[in-house]
Amino acid sequence: MSPQGLSNPNDNVDFESMWAVLASSFREIHTKNASKLSFEENYRIAYKLVLKKQGDLLYERVKDFERQWLGTEVRGRLRASMSGKLLAGGGGGTTANERRVAGEKFLRGLKDAWEDHDLCVDMTTDVLMYMDRVYCADTRRPSIFTACMGLFRDHILRSPLETTVPESPTVAQILHSIILDQVQMEREGDIIDKNRIRSCVYMLEGLYENDDEDESEKLYLTSFEGEFLDASRAFYRSEGEALMRQSDAGTYIRHTAGRLLEELDRCRSTISPLTAPKIQAVVEDELIRSRMGEVADMEGSGVRYMLDHDRYEDLSLFYHLISRVDAKKQELQRPTQKRVVELGTEINSAATALTTSAIPPADGEEPVAGSKAAAPAGSNQQTVAAIKWVDDILRLKDKYDAIWERAFDSDPGLQTALTRSFSDFINAFPRSSEYISLFIDDNLKRGLKGKTEPEVDAVLDKAIVLMRYIQDKDLFERYYKKHLSRRLLMGRSISGDVERQIILRMKMEVGNHFTQKLEGMFKDMAVSEELTRGYKAHVAQLDSQARKIELAINVLTTTIWPLESMGSSSGGEASSCVFPADVERIKAGFQTYYHGKHNGRKLSWQASMGTADMRVVFPRVPGKEGALGKERRHELNVSTYAMVVLLLFNDLPSGGQLAYEEIQARTLIPHQELKRNLQSLAVAPKTRILVKEPMSKDIRPADRFSFNEKFTSKFLRIKVGVVAGGNKVEGEKERKETEKKNDEMRRGVIEAAIVRIMKQRKELPHQNLYSEVISQLASRFMPDVNMVKTRVEGLIEREYLERVEGSDRPAYRYLA
């Protein structure tokens, strides 16, 4: 028994009569009169034909029907939607508006034809569902829907509308031309019908090159997208050339950023999301990759202008644009680095000019402490120049840090580039190590007064950043030790805690080897405080006369403290000085106490770094009234050398004089130190404890000095400063001496590195040894190759190393 409503398979069928019914129904569907049709009846007919092995004939008849319908009805409607000019060459009218109207009319006709075809084929497929399920599956032929879509592709899109016109463009060619023309209109500012274009593009996305329907073979991808990208490339190449002629850098990058957003929006709303990355790549190629170097270098508006005028938005836009095509951002990095080095070089030149104009006076011509000429002249002005150099660099760094954070998104690569640029111009300045150490010294002596803890941390951070830039960290260490020693010994530092904090940060930055001696200096100061307390307790147990004397001692380890800060000569000998008998007695007492605790150690007294508090009585001047008419008592704080000089005048009668040469002979104070102290005692207007004859600012061997009984001051305690006694910029001779000492130290460090490497490797080629030595020492300084070569030769002479004979390449062997 057959299923209800279906014919017996053995019944004979009249294909032509049954096809006539189906063809009539399909025609009704295409003419939109399908409401009266019985889909059940049509389904049964198709089912029966397939069941009677007529599926192949039915399949072909359906295709023939659709082919005929497309060729007559659909093609006729499309032809009607074409204007004559559009049909002839795809150019449309003579104006943009005429082309737009003609194009929209054609797009509307093609859109309607495609949507009608899609709907009708859908309904036809419902009728022929059994044929698709059985016949098409068994014979592996495309479904009737796929076949009918292919017919639209072949007989509409790929066929010319007007066969009588030679070389008439196909519908697809006309469609592509119209879409490209409409897109160009929109790019030029016109308004177009995006929905109609999107519908036609959707049609291209739904059709394939063949009936296999491979996703990579969509008509959109194979026929239209390439034309769209080529036309876009030509448009943006031309636009880029025009923009370079007509706009400045800021306008160019803003326009380019706008074009990228426009194309992304166009792909979402008008073309296809499939094209978004490709069209953006076209814009990137034509407007960014090939142009940004020229844009960056535009005079008066390029990257240099943006940097100088803090154009954060433009710089950020430039950064994001160049990031799209170059991960290293070379076209942004290059001008930025160049500008940093230019500004840094200007800072270096200004500091050099200011330093040159403030060359320290020759010996015997130092500015006088307390005089009006002292502050702006000589070494003081050089120190001001040093602090200004560092401040200018910090301001420059703050500026570029803000740019890096706000415009460059804290990009690590650009941070490295900026660091390299700062390091380049800082290390190109020969006094950078000294100036940075002086900057820290100035802040730790007075610059941090009144600052909050966060402000102090900020200063410390800046100091560490500056130190990080320095290539020759060993030279910086030498200057820092010198300045630190003066702060500690002269009590100039405003905070021991801050001193230790910065040393801790240095230790974290460059390692323990850098701060080992600095930490040793603090340890010596702590031990000295304990010694002072112990000695005071010891003195308290002695006779009453000794109890009146107070002594504060700093016992320093010679190998830790810099020689120049202790007043020693280059050979390391302590400066000589003949102390008065009372002072010699105090020295002997302390030495006895010290050797009782530390037997076998030798103490060398360094008078150049000490100070003394003295009670001085100025007698009544006969015949005078007021302050001079009575005895005056003052407490003077003077250097140890000044104390020794003043005590000589205790043994003179009133009005007695001592010649310069006599003072020097009796005290053995070095000439330069003696001149500086006599200037402070006899020339400085506010501290003229002595009278100099003849009166002048220079100290000469023939000068004579006497006690100034007419000295007056409104202060009970008076500090007599020593001329140029603090940390100051070195003169050219001093700097060369410092560099010479540093080179001597480097020789030892290089030798130690060579021995350490060879002891571990035993045998090493010449080039590998040099590379490892430079690599190991790069964190402290950049070794000179000639110096390394000299040290290797020296070690060979002393039989630490030997050359390997018969080796293909020069090599060395370690000798145990």
Side-chain angles (χ1 to χ4, degrees), residues 151-362:
L151 291 173
F152 190 90
R153 173 194 66 218
D154 297 336
H155 294 277
I156 297 297
L157 295 182
R158 289 179 173 173
S159 299
L161 284 180
E162 188 55 68
T163 56
T164 60
V165 179
E167 298 183 2
S168 176
T170 65
V171 172
Q173 289 173 334
I174 296 172
L175 172 64
H176 296 173
S177 176
I178 291 173
I179 294 177
L180 294 179
D181 190 38
Q182 299 264 314
V183 168
Q184 177 145 342
M185 290 181 195
E186 185 181 38
R187 285 172 176 160
E188 293 172 352
D190 290 339
I191 298 175
I192 62 173
D193 191 336
K194 298 181 180 181
N195 290 330
R196 286 204 180 105
I197 296 176
R198 184 71 188 100
S199 297
C200 292
V201 170
Y202 181 74
M203 172 192 70
L204 295 177
E205 289 180 316
L207 295 174
Y208 298 82
E209 281 291 330
N210 51 57
D211 292 341
D212 292 338
E213 296 192 342
D214 186 343
E215 287 298 312
S216 64
E217 296 292 315
K218 290 176 181 284
L219 276 189
Y220 174 80
L221 298 176
T222 59
S223 65
F224 173 75
E225 187 181 64
E227 290 185 36
F228 173 71
L229 295 177
D230 289 343
S232 298
R233 188 175 299 278
F235 173 82
Y236 283 117
R237 183 177 296 120
S238 175
E239 182 174 75
E241 292 171 355
L243 284 170
M244 291 301 296
R245 293 192 302 268
Q246 301 166 4
S247 65
D248 59 22
T251 303
Y252 184 96
I253 60 176
R254 285 191 291 274
H255 182 84
T256 300
R259 283 302 197 192
L260 286 167
L261 293 175
E262 286 175 19
E263 293 300 339
L264 182 61
D265 180 67
R266 183 172 293 115
C267 288
R268 291 170 178 167
S269 63
T270 310
I271 309 298
S272 169
L274 296 174
T275 306
K278 300 173 187 177
I279 186 60
Q280 289 197 313
V282 168
V283 178
E284 290 167 358
D285 286 342
E286 299 302 328
L287 296 186
I288 301 177
R289 185 176 283 108
S290 63
R291 302 287 181 187
M292 289 304 262
E294 298 175 66
V295 174
D297 295 333
M298 278 187 175
E299 189 69 29
S301 65
V303 170
R304 172 174 173 163
Y305 174 85
M306 297 175 191
L307 293 169
D308 289 348
H309 294 83
D310 298 331
R311 303 293 291 270
Y312 296 118
E313 290 185 8
D314 287 349
L315 286 168
S316 179
L317 207 51
F318 195 108
Y319 167 80
H320 286 99
L321 290 177
I322 202 67
S323 298
R324 301 176 72 97
V325 299
D326 180 14
K328 295 183 178 179
K329 297 95 179 171
Q330 290 286 357
E331 296 301 344
L332 178 59
Q333 180 177 308
R334 174 183 53 80
T336 301
Q337 284 188 281
K338 180 181 178 182
R339 188 56 180 153
V340 169
V341 173
E342 286 175 351
L343 293 172
T345 303
E346 289 176 9
I347 293 172
N348 290 347
S349 299
T352 301
L354 191 56
T355 303
T356 304
S357 67
I359 296 175

Side-chain angles (χ1 to χ4, degrees), residues 333-514:
Q333 180 177 308
R334 174 183 53 80
T336 301
Q337 284 188 281
K338 180 181 178 182
R339 188 56 180 153
V340 169
V341 173
E342 286 175 351
L343 293 172
T345 303
E346 289 176 9
I347 293 172
N348 290 347
S349 299
T352 301
L354 191 56
T355 303
T356 304
S357 67
I359 296 175
D363 292 351
E365 296 183 358
E366 295 92 336
V368 179
S371 69
K372 293 182 180 179
S379 60
N380 286 342
Q381 188 171 340
Q382 282 192 305
T383 304
V384 170
I387 304 303
K388 183 180 185 303
W389 178 81
V390 178
D391 284 336
D392 288 345
I393 289 177
L394 289 176
R395 276 192 292 272
L396 184 64
K397 185 176 187 309
D398 288 342
K399 173 186 175 70
Y400 278 86
D401 280 348
I403 292 172
W404 177 69
E405 291 176 5
R406 296 176 59 179
F408 298 162
D409 289 357
S410 301
D411 184 275
L414 287 172
Q415 182 186 37
T416 301
L418 287 171
T419 299
R420 191 183 309 119
S421 299
F422 274 91
S423 181
D424 286 347
F425 79 75
I426 287 174
N427 287 291
F429 188 61
R431 292 181 177 269
S432 57
S433 296
E434 180 185 10
Y435 279 15
I436 291 172
S437 180
L438 276 170
F439 168 79
I440 298 173
D441 178 73
D442 182 72
N443 274 280
L444 291 176
K445 286 194 298 189
R446 58 177 177 269
L448 298 179
K449 285 183 179 179
K451 291 186 180 294
T452 63
E453 188 172 339
E455 290 173 333
V456 171
D457 286 339
V459 172
L460 297 184
D461 288 339
K462 289 179 179 180
I464 295 301
V465 167
L466 291 174
M467 188 195 74
R468 189 181 299 146
Y469 289 139
I470 298 175
Q471 199 171 64
D472 295 334
K473 291 185 172 60
D474 59 334
L475 187 59
F476 170 78
E477 178 189 4
R478 180 173 291 274
Y479 281 113
Y480 192 83
K481 282 197 302 183
K482 171 186 173 181
H483 297 151
L484 173 63
S485 66
R486 287 183 177 274
R487 289 198 301 275
L488 294 178
L489 296 177
M490 301 176 74
R492 298 282 181 85
S493 180
I494 63 172
S495 172
D497 289 338
V498 175
E499 293 275 10
R500 291 180 178 86
Q501 280 184 48
I502 197 166
I503 289 177
L504 178 61
R505 296 187 186 205
M506 290 179 182
K507 186 175 184 179
M508 294 171 64
E509 182 69 26
V510 293
N512 182 60
H513 67 275
F514 184 87

